[in-house]
Amino acid sequence: MVERTPRKNQVSLSPAQREAVEHGEGPLLVGAGAGSGKTRTLTQRIIHLIRKGVRPDHILAITFTNKAADEIKRRIYAELPPHLTKSLPFLGTFHSFGARILREEGKTLSRTPSFTIFDNNDSLQLLKRVLKKLDMNATRHPPAKVAKKIGRIKTECANPADLEEEDRIIFAAYENSLRQQNAFDFDDLIEKPVRLFGSDAATLEKHRSRYSYVLVDEFQDVNRAEYLLVKLLSGKHRNLNVVGDDNQSIYGFRGADFRNFLDFEKDWPETKVINLGENYRSSGAIVRASYGVIKNNKFQRPKELWTPNEEGAPIRVVAAETPEDEAELVVKELSKYLYIGGTNAIAGSAILYRTNAQSRALESALSLAGISYDIYGGLKFYERKEVKDIVSAVRYGTNPSDEVSLDRLKKSFRKATAEELASKLPLLGKELALMELIGFFIKTTDYQHYLAEKFENTEERLENVRELLNFAGTFESAAEFLERITLLQDTDRPQRGVPGKGIKLMTIHLAKGLEFDRVFLVGAAEGLLPHQRSLKSLEEVEEERRLMYVAMTRAKKELVISFYGLASRFLYEIPPELILLKQSDDEDEVYI
């Protein structure tokens, strides 16, 4: 329930924002640069339509998060008088809108309105049961990989006939099992309405006639199924209004296709295009530095980015020697701010990184320094399954009385594998060095295959494994390794503090849409940003550059970028006059 707040005067708009807000009929594409007031523009567009006489319930507004939808609702309530908000536009995510359609049309798809929505874990468990029932070899058909193939068919609205024969059999059995259980999986919430609308003109017309305007936020992140859904609904009135920034398209791994944004006029040739290039968020130095990076992308819409804000501090680039060295440098900087301004000085700060595995060194350094921190959108490093599995093996190998660790191994692995670990680890723990003991565990469990069979994010989990191995390699004994981990975790617990009061740690992907006074971007090195997995094509490298741009534009006042090893190619794209370079062992900083 969104609470009504007192009505405010009309929000001031820039000329470009006002042009977008007051656009008349027909398709509209708003290219909204970072910090350019995208949400304000979208909200004011909805308010303008309602003031103009469009019935609120004839407006369909799609956002990518429920939080964004709630924020827009609050702003609408704040500005419009009660008699204009007796009904509201549909404001929600693609999936919530798809679920609404399926509640109404489920009978056509052999479901009742009380159907269950399976999340990814539910779907994976169902798929395992299907494979077992079909007597399919799990080694030949790893459930996580099969799930990925099924997901691709649905998010791209592709033809299941394109699958290999055995995969088609699995797909058909999986779909039948969903029907039998009166359930849809998460991808069905978009794909099934699209298939239904494409095959049933009457049903399409029924839903199409309900909405005279369709607005979509973060349009650069829609996948093919999502685009087809709004395209079908807008095909008659053609009032499809989309807002987004192709330079912030960073979800290609989820199926997002920013070509929907770049090629919008191909489907909608009469489109009005309006660019919002004025950044209200960041300092002049940050805007110019980030533009210096992103302008090197070939696949993007032409645009200019600028800000009326003061130039502010230069971009500080710090060269470190190791992840631990880099983490220590960040902690030293934070300690200065804490000394000057107390805990409030870091509450508006964030540390951003490319992969979750990078949090390990940072968490260690922050914990030992007694600095409160909050991990956003993920588990702390030593709470991640793959890390706990390995640590449990080492613990049991050095202490056969540790029944908690033994229980974990028994629950994680098949009976024969668990029994082998239980019988051999205590003996080998006395004979083998730490890295050899871990090596035995990984080989015995075929751990890489184990992760691939059970999880879709295999590579991310393997990165955590590699990071743990790198850390373990710095210890001479298992006892020292385990003691350090335990001390870190014990030290960390009281330092977590009040949520929201510590430094924020998160991946760049999770930081999208957020802003902070001060940002530390760590790991700006070749192999991490751009990531080594993303060097196969120009398109992949350009998505990595967009990640760099997103990270830089989260900062409002200060931006510190650090790296170890070989500096990222993206650092050389920042205008040198905007950079202040510091070596990890330098007392002074110098311009380059």
Side-chain angles (χ1 to χ4, degrees):
M1 180 69 180
V2 178
E3 294 183 5
R4 184 182 294 278
T5 54
R7 189 151 39 102
K8 301 177 182 177
N9 294 328
Q10 191 169 4
V11 173
S12 62
L13 299 168
S14 71
Q17 289 173 336
R18 185 163 298 283
E19 185 181 9
V21 166
E22 297 180 354
H23 172 71
E25 301 289 307
L28 170 69
L29 184 145
V30 179
S36 64
K38 172 177 63 66
T39 302
R40 177 197 307 168
T41 302
L42 181 66
T43 304
Q44 291 302 312
R45 171 71 174 155
I46 297 171
I47 290 172
H48 172 76
L49 290 173
I50 296 172
R51 287 186 186 277
K52 197 176 72 169
V54 178
R55 280 181 48 177
D57 57 349
H58 284 191
I59 299 172
L60 169 63
I62 303 290
T63 61
F64 261 75
T65 65
N66 290 311
K67 181 181 178 182
D70 289 341
E71 175 61 24
I72 293 173
K73 288 176 187 176
R74 273 191 287 271
R75 295 188 190 188
I76 291 173
Y77 272 135
E79 290 199 39
L80 289 176
H83 74 275
L84 290 180
T85 55
K86 289 180 180 178
S87 65
L88 274 180
F90 176 89
L91 275 159
T93 64
F94 271 106
H95 291 92
S96 62
F97 179 63
R100 172 186 281 198
I101 294 171
L102 292 177
R103 295 288 178 200
E104 185 174 346
E105 307 296 344
K107 186 176 180 181
T108 308
L109 299 166
S110 304
R111 271 78 159 186
T112 71
S114 61
F115 62 77
T116 300
I117 299 172
F118 281 3
D119 63 20
N120 290 338
N121 185 61
D122 295 329
S123 300
L124 189 61
Q125 296 307 314
L126 176 60
L127 191 54
K128 288 177 181 177
R129 291 173 59 184
V130 167
L131 289 168
K132 186 175 182 180
K133 191 173 181 179
L134 292 173
D135 198 23
M136 294 281 192
N137 188 303
T139 302
R140 185 175 174 183
H141 301 281
K145 287 189 176 181
V146 176
K148 195 170 185 178
K149 290 179 183 179
I150 292 174
R152 182 188 63 79
I153 289 293
K154 294 187 177 185
T155 58
E156 295 180 5
C157 285
N159 189 342
D162 293 338
L163 292 168
E164 295 179 2
E165 184 179 357
E166 287 190 336
D167 287 333
R168 288 201 304 271
I169 293 171
I170 296 169
F171 181 85
Y174 171 74
E175 288 290 275
N176 186 54
S177 188
L178 283 171
R179 280 191 295 271
Q180 290 175 347
Q181 298 192 46
N182 193 34
F184 290 110
D185 66 24
F186 206 58
D187 292 325
D188 284 332
L189 300 183
I190 312 297
E191 184 248 6
K192 291 297 186 289
V194 170
R195 303 274 194 197
L196 180 60
F197 289 167
S199 62
D200 187 336
T203 300
L204 170 60
E205 183 57 31
K206 180 176 72 171
H207 288 273
R208 179 186 277 175
S209 65
R210 291 176 178 174
Y211 305 104
S212 51
Y213 287 86
V214 177
L215 297 89
V216 184
D217 193 15
E218 303 287 5
F219 188 69
Q220 76 282 345
D221 290 329
V222 301
N223 61 36
R224 177 162 177 75
E226 290 163 345
Y227 176 54
L228 288 175
L229 180 61
V230 294
K231 182 182 178 183
L232 286 164
L233 289 170
S234 307
K236 191 172 183 178
H237 57 65
R238 302 187 72 77
N239 290 324
L240 177 59
N241 302 170
V242 302
V243 181
D245 181 7
D246 50 309
N247 288 338
Q248 296 188 66
S249 179
I250 57 175
Y251 294 111
F253 67 96
R254 291 183 186 170
D257 188 351
F258 79 115
R259 287 171 297 186
N260 292 323
F261 191 91
L262 297 182
D263 299 337
F264 190 74
E265 294 100 320
K266 290 183 179 179
D267 286 337
W268 313 88
E270 72 275 35
T271 295
K272 174 71 173 179
V273 178
I274 299 173
N275 288 312
L276 308 181
E278 184 175 0
N279 184 305
Y280 299 93
R281 174 191 300 153
S282 304
S283 70
I286 292 169
V287 171
R288 290 203 291 138
S290 58
Y291 181 61
V293 172
I294 200 60
K295 72 179 183 181
N296 292 283
N297 267 8
K298 177 181 177 182
F299 298 106
Q300 63 172 303
R301 284 181 169 271
K303 62 182 71 68
E304 290 185 19
L305 305 173
W306 76 95
T307 184
N309 297 336
E310 294 182 358
E311 183 72 357
I315 313 305
R316 298 173 60 198
V317 176
V318 183
E321 295 182 0
T322 65
E324 288 73 21
D325 185 26
E326 181 180 44
E328 287 297 328
L329 290 167
V330 171
V331 165
K332 284 180 183 178
E333 289 297 317
L334 288 172
S335 296
K336 292 177 187 177
Y337 296 122
L338 280 169
Y339 179 76
I340 296 171
T343 54
N344 288 335
I346 65 168
S349 303
I351 303 174
L352 308 183
Y353 36 79
R354 174 65 177 84
T355 69
N356 278 309
Q358 291 172 258
S359 75
R360 195 272 310 162
L362 293 162
E363 290 185 62
S364 297
L366 290 166
S367 295
L368 292 174
I371 297 177
S372 179
Y373 68 92
D374 293 289
I375 293 280
Y376 273 56
L379 295 171
K380 293 164 61 183
F381 185 80
Y382 292 105
E383 292 175 356
R384 296 166 193 166
K385 173 184 167 48
E386 56 276 12
V387 173
K388 294 184 77 170
D389 283 349
I390 294 172
V391 171
S392 292
V394 176
R395 282 178 171 156
Y396 184 67
T398 55
N399 176 20
S401 299
D402 185 347
E403 293 184 0
V404 172
S405 293
L406 179 59
D407 278 347
R408 180 175 188 86
L409 297 175
K410 287 180 176 178
K411 290 177 181 177
S412 293
F413 304 103
R414 295 185 178 93
K415 184 177 180 181
T417 302
E419 288 178 350
E420 184 175 2
L421 292 173
S423 63
K424 293 185 178 179
L425 279 173
L427 300 175
L428 297 175
K430 299 175 182 178
E431 303 172 1
L432 300 181
L434 171 61
M435 295 304 291
E436 293 174 319
L437 187 62
I438 295 175
F440 166 77
F441 166 79
I442 290 175
K443 183 178 180 180
T444 301
T445 58
D446 193 5
Y447 202 62
Q448 181 170 346
H449 181 265
Y450 167 80
L451 291 176
E453 186 180 62
K454 288 188 170 292
F455 305 103
E456 289 188 33
N457 61 337
T458 307
E459 189 54 43
E460 181 181 340
R461 292 177 182 274
L462 287 173
E463 285 180 345
N464 289 329
V465 171
R466 287 191 286 268
E467 180 62 27
L468 182 66
L469 293 178
N470 290 338
F471 185 53
T474 64
F475 294 89
E476 292 185 3
S477 71
E480 289 177 305
F481 170 67
L482 294 173
E483 182 179 331
R484 173 65 67 85
I485 290 175
T486 303
L487 288 175
L488 285 174
Q489 294 182 79
D490 284 343
T491 303
D492 182 52
R493 287 189 188 104
Q495 299 302 332
R496 291 282 282 175
V498 180
K501 293 296 184 181
I503 183 81
K504 284 77 174 172
L505 274 67
M506 68 190 78
T507 64
I508 300 170
H509 285 97
L510 287 175
K512 186 171 174 291
L514 303 178
E515 57 183 46
F516 307 93
D517 288 336
R518 183 180 302 110
V519 166
F520 295 87
L521 172 58
V522 301
E526 288 292 305
L528 277 175
L529 186 62
H531 199 278
Q532 59 187 1
R533 295 196 310 268
S534 302
L535 302 177
K536 298 174 185 176
S537 67
L538 174 63
E539 289 83 358
E540 290 178 327
V541 171
E542 291 206 347
E543 179 150 330
E544 294 293 300
R545 187 178 280 109
R546 292 194 292 271
L547 271 170
M548 180 77 174
Y549 173 75
V550 167
M552 295 175 72
T553 54
R554 299 312 93 198
K556 294 195 288 187
K557 298 177 181 177
E558 294 182 57
L559 175 60
V560 180
I561 305 175
S562 61
F563 69 93
Y564 57 90
L566 184 62
S568 169
R569 67 190 72 185
F570 303 145
L571 289 177
Y572 294 97
E573 296 172 351
I574 300 175
E577 68 271 16
L578 299 176
I579 292 179
L580 195 63
L581 178 68
K582 183 180 186 298
Q583 300 290 341
S584 62
D585 55 353
D586 285 349
E587 290 296 326
D588 300 316
E589 296 169 321
V590 295
Y591 285 101
I592 61 169

